[in-house]
Amino acid sequence: MCPKPRRCAGTKRLEALQEQVSSEINARSLGEIVEVLVEDQHKGKWRGRNRQNKLVFIESDLPLRGRLVEAQITWTGPWSMQGRFVRDASPLPDKIAPPQQTFTIALNPA
């Protein structure tokens, strides 16, 4: 319980406004390819930060810790973004290649 209800109501309004503004700012990155410095794994996804210090989660089975990677943003929220690994942009000599996609086409003779 808040000792000063009026002050608490103002804080809640301010927090709601901040959430809305942050959501709008992050939504501009949807579909963009951004550089992310990968820190560690969190709940099965790689966690890192882009050049604006925004939190970005990347789905990948590759060993990305400590690397600078490019990721395409696939989802945005007010406090973080999610993306998919595009390429290793780190200056390290042992670059990590993205998994090759293979397609199989079954042809049925008529």
Side-chain angles (χ1 to χ4, degrees):
M1 181 109 194
C2 185
K4 298 183 180 181
R6 194 169 191 193
R7 186 176 293 172
C8 289
T11 300
K12 287 181 181 180
R13 284 194 309 270
L14 180 61
E15 288 173 350
L17 179 60
Q18 181 63 49
E19 184 174 342
Q20 177 186 353
V21 169
S22 294
S23 292
E24 290 172 6
I25 290 170
N26 285 351
R28 296 179 199 152
S29 296
L30 189 62
E32 296 289 320
I33 294 177
V34 299
E35 286 186 332
V36 178
L37 180 58
V38 180
E39 299 166 357
D40 58 5
Q41 278 193 312
H42 178 74
K43 297 183 180 178
K45 295 180 183 177
W46 289 103
R47 175 174 53 190
R49 297 200 174 258
N50 68 5
R51 290 190 177 269
Q52 290 74 37
N53 204 32
K54 303 278 185 168
L55 189 59
V56 180
F57 292 95
I58 301 170
E59 292 187 47
S60 178
D61 294 329
L62 300 171
L64 301 179
R65 177 174 288 146
R67 295 197 175 262
L68 182 66
V69 302
E70 288 184 351
Q72 183 175 25
I73 302 302
T74 58
W75 177 87
T76 62
W79 317 123
S80 66
M81 297 180 259
Q82 292 183 21
R84 66 171 189 81
F85 176 81
V86 174
R87 74 177 191 94
D88 185 350
S90 65
L92 300 172
D94 57 333
K95 299 279 188 203
I96 294 176
Q100 297 295 320
Q101 293 183 352
T102 58
F103 298 95
T104 304
I105 299 174
L107 299 175
N108 293 331

